[in-house]
């Protein structure tokens, strides 16, 4: 589950490099107007064509080009609506940077090497990874490294560009242009922004998606006596400015095609957009080489109703004030593995605690603590370590799944190349 209010209170005094809310925006008035516009847009749509799917509602609320939550907001950090691991500590991004380089080395150090991040938020993860790349310059050698960011939000892409680049060569509003922004990182690497993964150029790539899949639209289905029915969003007949859930009276195309025949749960959430994206990554990895690392909260096909709203670090009604709150659903890792198919090998999901420990977070902590003599900073370091790894906090709530080429793990004994962070092969 996304960050809770206690996370904020425990970390609110942190001043080490933990909080990175370098950009603050005052959206309050604009937010209110956009909220009314979006609600009006949704109610007129429902009035003309009938109740809409939860996926359509979620897509509009999060990524409507004018009033979507992600489209306009910088929502991450203590003053925002939620906080993520890369925002909690730089160690997180550094370890993921080591993972990227390790997979690139295991592939035989190909060049060019694309680092591709889906949904980069403020750009903190990419920034920490690029710092590792700078430190490992001698290892990366002459490899032609470039950075490719898939970001739907013009506002967040601007925040990312200000953080990651020393110049911005191109900013383009034309929907037909695949690259809508570009620049050069502080270390001189080219960086490009795209709206969709399909637009990212082919080639050996390491893909990262942290808290990205949980933001993609889900369909919801309910088992009834008459069979599976899709949960839809309708206008509340008691109040024309309120939305409510209803069940479709008959099967919809989605309920007929997305629910598995052997499904045993009474309520299911399916994220077909996530399925299409993982298939795209799997195809690319199979054809061009590379690897993907997906970090998110989720389950292995066991949970039912996980659709939640967050605003100001508090739970928020999912149908209340659309466009004003973050909407999210737990990632179904079993679905992602299935959609990735047989052309790739999937490892995990494993808990964030196991992944970070396997990546050497304890050793990294010792190094940082040794060089840190200030009492407050030491306490902050320990706090952030605890939040990332404690099973009660993010340690067991978040999981990592990797997608690798079929030939990545040689199965003949003695020739296994271990995959950093993962200890066992789970297919
Ligand atoms: N990875 C970051 C941010 C997570 S928030 C972190 O861990 O801190 C989700 C991010 O995904 C935001 O940058 C949001 O704008 C982006 N996003 C959400 N839906 C998207 C979509 N359909 N396509 C591309 N980016 C999307």
């Amino acid at each position: 589950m996304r960050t809770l209010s206690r996370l904020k209170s425990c970390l609110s005094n942190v001043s080490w490099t933990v909080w990175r809310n370098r950009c603050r925006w005052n959206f309050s008035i604009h937010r209110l107007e956009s909220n009314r516009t979006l609600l009006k847009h949704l109610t007129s749509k429902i009035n003309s064509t009938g109740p809409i799917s939860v996926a359509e509602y979620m897509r509009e609320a999060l990524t409507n080009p004018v009033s979507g939550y992600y489209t306009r907001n910088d929502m991450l950090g203590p003053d925002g609506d939620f906080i993520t691991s890369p925002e909690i500590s730089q160690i997180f991004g550094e370890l993921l940077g080591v993972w990227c380089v390790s997979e690139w080395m295991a592939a035989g150090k190909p060049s060019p090497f694309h680092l591709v991040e889906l949904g980069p938020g403020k750009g903190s993860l990419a920034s920490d990874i690029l710092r590792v790349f700078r430190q490992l310059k001698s290892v990366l050698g002459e490899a032609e490294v470039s950075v490719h960011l898939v970001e739907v939000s013009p506002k967040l892409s601007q925040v990312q560009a200000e953080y990651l680049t020393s110049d911005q060569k191109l900013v383009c509003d034309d929907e037909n242009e695949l690259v809508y922004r570009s620049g050069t990182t502080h270390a001189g690497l080219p960086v490009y922004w795209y709206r969709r993964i399909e637009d990212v150029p082919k080639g050996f790539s390491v893909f990262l998606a942290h808290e990205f899949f949980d933001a993609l639209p889900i369909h919801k289905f309910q088992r009834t006596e008459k069979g599976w029915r899709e949960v839809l969003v309708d206008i509340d007949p008691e109040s024309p400015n309120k939305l409510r859930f209803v069940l479709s009276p008959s099967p919809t195309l989605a309920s007929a095609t997305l629910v598995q025949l052997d499904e045993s749960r009474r309520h299911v959430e399916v994220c077909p957009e996530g399925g299409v994206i993982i298939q795209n990554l799997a195809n690319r990895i199979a054809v061009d080489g590379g690897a993907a690392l997906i970090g998110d909260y989720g389950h292995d096909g066991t949970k039912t109703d996980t659709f939640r709203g967050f605003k100001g670090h508090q739970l928020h009604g999912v149908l209340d004030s659309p466009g004003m709150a973050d909407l999210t659903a737990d990632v179904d890792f079993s679905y992602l593995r299935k959609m990735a198919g047989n052309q790739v090998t999937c490892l995990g999901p494993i808990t964030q605690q196991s992944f970070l420990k396997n990546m050497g977070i304890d050793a990294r902590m010792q190094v940082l603590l040794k060089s840190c003599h200030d009492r407050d900073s030491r306490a902050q370091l320990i706090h952030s370590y605890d939040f990332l790894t404690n099973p009660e906090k993010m340690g067991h709530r978040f999981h990592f799944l990797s997608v690798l080429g079929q030939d990545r793990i040689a199965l003949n004994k003695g020739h296994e190349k271990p995959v950093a962070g993962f200890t066992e092969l789970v297919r």
Side-chain angles (χ1 to χ4, degrees):
M1 190 185 292
R2 216 158 235 171
T3 314
L4 307 168
S5 49
R6 65 195 160 98
L7 199 66
K8 187 185 176 192
S9 57
C10 292
L11 285 170
S12 58
N13 295 325
V14 173
S15 67
W16 182 65
T17 54
V18 172
W19 296 129
R20 305 137 185 268
N21 54 325
R22 292 180 169 95
C23 309
R24 290 188 186 173
W25 310 84
N26 187 349
F27 287 107
S28 45
I29 295 170
H30 182 58
R31 269 185 165 200
L32 217 69
E33 282 167 6
S34 300
N35 160 240
R36 289 203 199 105
T37 322
L38 191 56
L39 185 63
K40 226 172 128 196
H41 168 67
L42 289 167
T43 51
S44 59
K45 199 172 201 178
I46 295 170
N47 273 325
S48 55
T49 57
I52 55 172
S53 68
V54 173
E56 189 170 352
Y57 171 76
M58 201 172 165
R59 187 174 301 111
E60 290 283 356
L62 292 181
T63 59
N64 177 288
V66 182
S67 358
Y69 174 77
Y70 281 117
T71 319
R72 295 171 304 105
N73 290 333
D74 170 13
M75 68 299 292
L76 282 136
D79 294 339
D81 296 317
F82 60 94
I83 186 127
T84 60
S85 295
E87 300 297 322
I88 286 175
S89 169
Q90 66 186 55
I91 302 180
F92 184 84
E94 288 170 356
L95 295 176
L96 265 61
V98 172
W99 193 88
C100 297
V101 175
S102 147
E103 280 310 300
W104 171 76
M105 288 174 73
K109 304 187 175 180
S111 181
F113 167 18
H114 298 167
L115 173 71
V116 185
E117 188 182 354
L118 310 181
K122 279 174 180 288
S124 307
L125 179 59
S127 165
D128 292 334
I129 289 173
L130 291 173
R131 195 174 53 255
V132 169
F133 281 18
R134 274 205 300 279
Q135 281 158 2
L136 297 178
K137 213 168 172 229
S138 60
V139 178
L140 286 164
E142 298 301 307
E144 195 190 307
V145 182
S146 52
V147 184
H148 305 265
L149 304 175
V150 179
E151 175 55 75
V152 76
S153 161
K155 183 58 83 181
L156 280 175
S157 77
Q158 184 190 329
V159 173
Q160 293 150 16
E162 279 164 16
Y163 192 17
L164 295 171
T165 64
S166 44
D167 70 333
Q168 288 176 46
K169 287 194 205 111
L170 171 79
V171 181
C172 170
D173 280 340
D174 185 350
E175 279 282 325
N176 297 318
E177 287 297 328
L178 305 187
V179 176
Y180 70 90
R181 192 186 275 282
S182 73
T184 311
T185 69
H186 303 296
L189 302 179
V191 49
Y192 307 94
W193 277 262
Y194 314 81
R195 295 176 192 88
R196 295 164 291 265
I197 183 68
E198 297 91 300
D199 301 340
V200 176
K202 303 261 158 58
F204 177 91
S205 308
V206 175
F207 301 95
L208 296 171
H210 185 258
E211 288 219 40
F212 169 76
F213 280 91
D214 71 274
L216 300 179
I218 51 147
H219 286 267
K220 282 173 89 66
F221 306 104
Q222 178 69 42
R223 189 194 291 277
T224 72
E225 281 171 6
K226 291 186 220 142
W228 286 99
R229 291 291 182 267
E230 182 160 8
V231 178
L232 302 172
V233 177
D234 197 3
I235 299 166
D236 188 338
E238 309 277 302
S239 161
N241 285 326
K242 277 187 93 180
L243 299 172
R244 63 163 188 170
F245 287 119
V246 292
L247 278 189
S248 64
S250 49
T252 58
L253 180 63
S255 70
T257 53
L258 294 175
V259 183
Q260 297 300 307
L261 288 176
D262 59 353
E263 182 56 63
S264 59
R265 287 169 287 176
R266 299 201 62 75
H267 187 98
V268 218
E269 294 169 341
V270 185
C271 177
E273 211 169 297
V276 170
I277 291 176
I278 196 102
Q279 275 177 348
N280 187 303
L281 299 187
N283 288 340
R284 283 165 181 256
I285 290 168
V287 175
D288 302 318
L293 185 65
I294 295 159
D296 226 310
Y297 46 86
H299 58 92
D300 229 4
T302 51
K303 285 199 183 171
T304 56
D305 180 13
T306 72
F307 187 33
R308 298 279 179 274
F310 284 92
K311 186 163 157 47
H313 299 262
Q314 305 286 340
L315 275 168
H316 184 88
V318 284
L319 298 182
D320 297 342
S321 42
M324 297 278 282
D326 182 33
L327 298 179
T328 163
D330 284 20
V331 172
D332 181 347
F333 285 107
S334 67
Y335 177 71
L336 292 188
R337 272 203 317 266
K338 197 167 124 210
M339 296 305 280
N342 289 332
Q343 56 182 339
V344 287
T345 297
C346 292
L347 297 189
I350 62 169
T351 65
Q352 173 157 308
Q353 181 196 43
S354 303
F355 178 79
L356 294 179
K357 281 187 177 276
N358 291 339
M359 287 302 302
I361 192 170
D362 292 324
R364 179 77 184 122
M365 266 297 283
Q366 291 312 318
V367 171
L368 285 174
L369 283 172
K370 254 191 202 141
S371 62
C372 174
H373 304 294
D374 170 58
R375 220 180 58 176
D376 284 352
S377 304
R378 288 175 71 83
Q380 288 152 14
L381 259 176
I382 292 164
H383 258 310
S384 52
Y385 168 88
D386 184 54
F387 264 98
L388 292 180
T389 59
N390 189 327
E392 306 276 304
K393 295 168 187 168
M394 287 174 152
H396 278 188
R397 199 167 282 152
F398 281 77
H399 292 83
F400 280 87
L401 174 79
S402 68
V403 182
L404 308 160
Q406 279 286 20
D407 56 350
R408 171 64 184 87
I409 297 159
L411 290 175
N412 45 329
K413 265 250 166 296
H415 290 89
E416 295 103 342
K417 293 183 224 157
V419 178
F422 293 83
T423 50
E424 56 177 329
L425 180 65
V426 186
R427 286 202 63 178

